[in-house]
Amino acid sequence: MARKPEPAPVDAALDLPRQRLVDWLYQMHLIRAFEETVEQLYAAGKMHGTMHLSIGQEAVAVGAIAALRPDDYITSTHRGHGHAIAKGQDLRAMLAELLGKETGVCRGRGGSMHLADLEKGNLGANGIVAGGIPIAVGAALSMRLRGLDRVVLCFFGDGAANHGNFHEGLNLAAVWRLPVVFLCENNQYAMSMPVQRAMAVPRVADRAAAYGIPGETVDGMDVRAVYQAVRAAVDRARRGEGPSLIEAITYRYRGHSKSDRQVYRTKEEVQAWMARDPIARFRAWLIAQGWLSEAEAEDLALRARQAVEAALRAAEGDPEPAVEDLARDVYAEEPPGALPAWIHAAFGPRTPILPPPGAREISYAEALREAMAQAMAADGRVFLMGEDIGVYGGAFGVTQGLIDRFGPERVRDTPISENTIVGAGLGAALTGMRPMVEMQFMDFVALAMEQTVLQAAKVRYMFGGKARVPLVLRLPGGSGTGAAAQHSESLEAWFVNVPGLKVVAPATPYDAKGLLLAALADENPVIFVEHKLLYRTRGPVPEEPYVVPLGRAAVRREGRHLTLVAYSLMVLRALEAAERLAAEGIDVEVIDLRTLKPYDLETVVASVKKTGRLLIVHEAPLLGGLGGEIAAAVAQSEAFAYLEAPIIRLGGADVPIPYHPKLERAAVPQVEDIVTAARRLARLEL
């Protein structure tokens, strides 16, 4: 049996104009009418997918958002229709979205669980439980860094309070005293799990004490109680006093989703909660105050229904998306060959693309650091975030000294909270910043896959192309340091397989700087892979800012007999192997992909047409590695007719990276392995 609320005292004399209070009742009716209409449409087969209705929870959406200014932000949940309406989103565009129309608020790409309107300050409903918490933290950080007095209101359900994002997000917001209000809509069940069986503490708000922030439980069936609690928390946040946690005790009258048989609760329980209906209670209160007559109250409900009906009539006739536009807006792209707009603004129109390297030599790590410093000096929106990147200088010293120059606000050491670090970067990127996030080791990105893959990679497309996500995620990867299985992986192929992400893997100091600046200029999330053994390698690098375009390979060595494609550390080993093979009369052309997504197939195809043979080398395991994609693409291209031998792939063994030095070396391609494979291919000894 769900627990009844223990309402906090409510000041009946709200210091608000009558009309505003009446508008609250109208908004609650509007949400109820919208949800009931959607329920009917779904039952009639006019909407597909799933549906999560907020009938019964209207007071939380209306009361909470009434406490905000129009320029404040919210993050929402899969049960987010009410939040969107209370934030002022257009009913027709919302219904068009649910009907899958091109005119939908997300152009029919997002659907019910992903409603967003960045112009209205709605950073998105979220189909992932607790998925909006890190994003809200990042948006609040953005407000702080931009010097704005806006507040972020983060909605989530009671089930999310048991998620790692809840702990990481509340902790990070508390440590940094960010202007965010966390609002738990405790509707008694996380799908079917009763809240009292999911927690050892009586209330979600009790957990606030662990983070040193205020926590309060309010009656979520009373719009006045919700407003007063959220208003106090918002005022506190706006004063710079940090986050608060509010738990609104409420109830959903319908099931978790439309497939929910509701076997976990009784009809009597539902009826008991419906007797405390938030709309009926607030209506009765307004009438008792003399601010609304019975006739006026009926007229409000009627006008709400009519508004939804009119919006539906308009939306039903709207066009559906064209199949030809399926891939539109997966990425935010600029004209090919043009200087990126951010580079133009930050460094000027004369910033060179692929300039001569010059005579000055610095290390790979120094080149990365120089790119970061130049970007941060040119644009105050660029900031760094990660574990131990400040005074310590990062796990590999790449950010050393940057905190002295730019301060701890822009070189931000974080708690060990990988998923929320990435999510905070996403929230900051969505609200005007250009964050660069560092993982200590590439392996640790496994702890951040939700925010990387399910959020950052998808929000632009889910939001109908209306979002830009200028986020760079730096990942030190690869073996060779004796760090064994959990600190030595090469996981880049994971991300190549994710629509919405770009993947970069520079092999030289020159490319490290130019590609990092290009990644920072990109309006999409970029996975920036840095092999740990490259940090100390040296090479010529221009002092001024410049760009190495994403998606353009480099021919590192020209040859006639065989094409060898590699990236990252394997480029250096390929070049060494090519020199050894030259002594045997085998002339190898070495191509450095530089960028793995998008990758430069045109350059590879042109080389294979010249040499007739192709060897692809990468450190990542052979099975499922990028080499398979390149081999297939070449086999499907015009280069196939020029092949004189099978395409050969050389990759890592299908083993976790071992600790023992000889085993570690045997687990990934070495120079001698490349020489042997190339020799056999050149001589057709297959």
Side-chain angles (χ1 to χ4, degrees):
M1 180 70 178
R3 292 176 297 191
K4 295 289 179 65
E6 300 163 7
V10 178
D11 180 5
L14 291 176
D15 185 21
L16 293 170
R18 168 195 172 276
Q19 187 56 49
R20 189 171 181 199
L21 296 173
V22 172
D23 286 345
W24 289 3
L25 181 59
Y26 175 73
Q27 282 190 314
M28 293 167 73
H29 276 301
L30 203 60
I31 294 170
R32 180 72 59 90
F34 184 93
E35 298 289 60
E36 290 175 345
T37 298
V38 165
E39 186 176 33
Q40 293 166 7
L41 289 168
Y42 189 91
K46 293 185 177 181
M47 291 182 179
H48 74 287
T50 189
M51 196 69 58
H52 304 82
L53 302 175
S54 62
I55 297 173
Q57 300 181 208
E58 297 88 352
V60 183
V62 172
I65 291 175
L68 301 178
R69 292 191 324 219
D71 62 345
D72 290 328
Y73 288 99
I74 69 167
T75 59
S76 183
T77 71
H78 56 276
R79 202 177 308 281
H81 301 164
H83 308 149
I85 291 171
K87 197 69 171 75
Q89 287 187 221
D90 181 71
L91 291 178
R92 174 178 175 173
M94 289 178 62
L95 284 164
E97 182 64 29
L98 271 58
L99 291 167
K101 303 292 188 176
E102 179 68 26
T103 55
V105 67
C106 299
R107 298 180 50 244
R109 273 66 168 179
S112 173
M113 290 191 288
H114 309 115
L115 293 173
D117 191 335
L118 301 185
E119 291 184 2
K120 293 287 187 181
N122 184 353
L123 298 177
N126 210 301
I128 304 301
V129 172
I133 295 177
I135 297 170
V137 171
L141 174 60
S142 175
M143 300 304 100
R144 161 94 159 264
L145 292 173
R146 294 171 62 192
L148 302 174
D149 70 341
R150 299 180 187 176
V151 172
V152 182
L153 175 62
C154 175
F155 289 97
F156 60 95
D158 51 277
N162 301 311
H163 196 286
N165 283 351
F166 175 86
H167 167 72
E168 290 186 0
L170 268 67
N171 182 64
L172 189 61
V175 168
W176 287 348
R177 296 176 66 85
L178 296 178
V180 56
V181 176
F182 298 102
L183 177 54
C184 176
E185 292 184 274
N186 182 350
N187 64 14
Q188 311 305 307
Y189 296 97
M191 195 162 177
S192 68
M193 171 66 82
V195 66
Q196 62 266 32
R197 288 179 51 200
M199 300 191 309
V201 293
R203 296 293 188 196
V204 172
D206 294 343
R207 293 178 168 176
Y211 310 107
I213 64 175
E216 182 179 358
T217 299
V218 299
D219 182 356
M221 308 296 274
D222 185 338
V223 67
R224 297 170 298 147
V226 174
Y227 169 79
Q228 289 181 325
V230 175
R231 177 60 187 270
V234 166
D235 289 346
R236 180 177 182 273
R238 216 180 296 282
R239 291 193 302 267
E241 297 175 16
S244 303
L245 172 61
I246 297 170
E247 177 186 19
I249 306 297
T250 184
Y251 199 79
R252 53 171 166 80
Y253 296 170
R254 304 296 194 264
H256 166 73
S257 65
K258 295 307 296 178
S259 61
D260 185 359
R261 293 179 291 116
Q262 303 186 59
V263 296
Y264 49 87
R265 63 184 186 179
T266 65
K267 292 181 179 179
E268 291 75 19
E269 177 186 311
V270 176
Q271 290 298 323
W273 278 89
M274 291 177 70
R276 304 183 64 256
D277 184 76
I279 295 177
R281 289 175 69 188
F282 189 47
R283 168 181 161 149
W285 183 82
L286 287 172
I287 292 173
Q289 299 299 311
W291 292 344
L292 197 67
S293 69
E294 291 281 358
E296 289 171 328
E298 287 298 325
D299 184 62
L300 280 180
L302 176 62
R303 286 198 291 114
R305 291 193 297 272
Q306 290 173 338
V308 174
E309 290 168 1
L312 177 60
R313 285 194 299 272
E316 284 182 315
D318 287 345
E320 296 188 355
V323 174
E324 295 77 23
D325 290 334
L326 171 66
R328 176 182 164 193
D329 288 324
V330 177
Y331 300 93
E333 297 290 16
E334 298 190 67
L339 188 68
W342 181 80
I343 295 288
H344 185 285
F347 302 117
R350 296 183 180 274
T351 306
I353 298 175
L354 292 170
R360 183 188 68 138
E361 288 200 355
I362 59 176
S363 72
Y364 189 102
E366 289 168 334
L368 292 170
R369 188 182 310 128
E370 187 168 88
M372 291 184 233
Q374 290 176 345
M376 295 176 76
D379 187 348
R381 297 174 299 164
V382 179
F383 73 100
L384 314 181
M385 184 164 52
E387 297 161 8
D388 303 300
I389 66 168
V391 175
Y392 195 86
F396 298 94
V398 176
T399 57
Q400 195 166 19
L402 293 179
I403 193 171
D404 298 325
R405 182 173 175 184
F406 298 102
E409 282 288 287
R410 293 182 65 197
V411 183
R412 303 189 73 87
D413 277 321
T414 67
I416 299 174
S417 302
E418 285 82 3
N419 204 45
T420 289
I421 296 169
V422 174
L426 169 57
L430 285 171
T431 52
M433 299 298 288
R434 303 191 82 89
M436 186 181 307
V437 171
E438 176 182 326
M439 293 281 117
Q440 282 190 338
F441 291 84
M442 185 182 222
D443 316 60
F444 299 172
V445 77
L447 300 167
M449 290 296 278
E450 180 254 320
Q451 288 291 315
T452 304
V453 172
L454 299 181
Q455 308 290 350
K458 293 177 170 55
V459 292
R460 176 174 173 80
Y461 192 78
M462 288 194 307
F463 295 175
K466 298 176 184 179
R468 290 178 179 265
V469 187
L471 169 65
V472 177
L473 179 53
R474 293 181 45 241
L475 303 180
S479 64
T481 63
Q486 294 176 335
H487 292 70
S488 306
E489 292 181 279
S490 299
L491 304 176
E492 58 274 5
W494 286 7
F495 302 105
V496 171
N497 196 240
V498 178
L501 296 179
K502 295 187 177 183
V503 185
V504 178
T508 68
Y510 177 94
D511 283 353
K513 178 177 177 178
L515 284 170
L516 186 55
L517 288 174
L520 276 165
D522 207 89
E523 299 293 339
N524 306 282
V526 178
I527 305 297
F528 200 89
V529 179
E530 305 162 9
H531 199 291
K532 299 189 288 287
L533 295 186
L534 291 174
Y535 284 133
R536 295 185 181 181
T537 60
R538 300 182 68 81
V541 178
E543 288 190 42
E544 73 275 8
Y546 61 92
V547 175
V548 174
L550 303 188
R552 191 179 303 184
V555 179
R556 298 296 182 193
R557 185 186 191 279
E558 293 192 357
R560 297 173 293 118
H561 299 142
L562 182 150
T563 298
L564 202 167
V565 175
Y567 59 86
S568 190
L569 178 66
M570 289 298 126
V571 173
L572 275 61
R573 292 182 180 174
L575 288 169
E576 184 177 341
E579 291 305 312
R580 293 190 194 179
L581 290 162
E584 303 177 19
I586 300 173
D587 193 12
V588 177
E589 181 150 296
V590 177
I591 295 177
D592 177 359
L593 287 179
R594 286 173 162 163
T595 304
L596 311 186
K597 189 176 186 182
Y599 71 89
D600 186 355
L601 180 60
E602 183 179 346
T603 295
V604 175
V605 166
S607 177
V608 173
K609 288 170 68 176
K610 179 174 66 172
T611 67
R613 292 171 172 81
L614 175 60
L615 170 63
I616 308 161
V617 182
H618 51 69
E619 178 170 330
L622 185 67
L623 182 62
L626 185 64
E629 157 62 27
I630 297 169
V634 169
Q636 291 177 286
S637 75
E638 67 269 25
F640 179 76
Y642 294 80
L643 286 171
E644 300 172 2
I647 298 171
I648 301 300
R649 296 176 298 136
L650 183 62
D654 190 23
V655 298
I657 299 297
Y659 167 68
H660 190 281
K662 289 183 179 179
L663 295 177
E664 181 180 26
R665 179 180 171 83
V668 300
Q670 303 297 325
V671 174
E672 53 268 29
D673 301 316
I674 300 173
V675 169
T676 299
R679 183 189 296 125
R680 293 181 62 192
L681 178 57
R683 296 176 179 175
L684 297 179
E685 298 173 350
L686 303 173

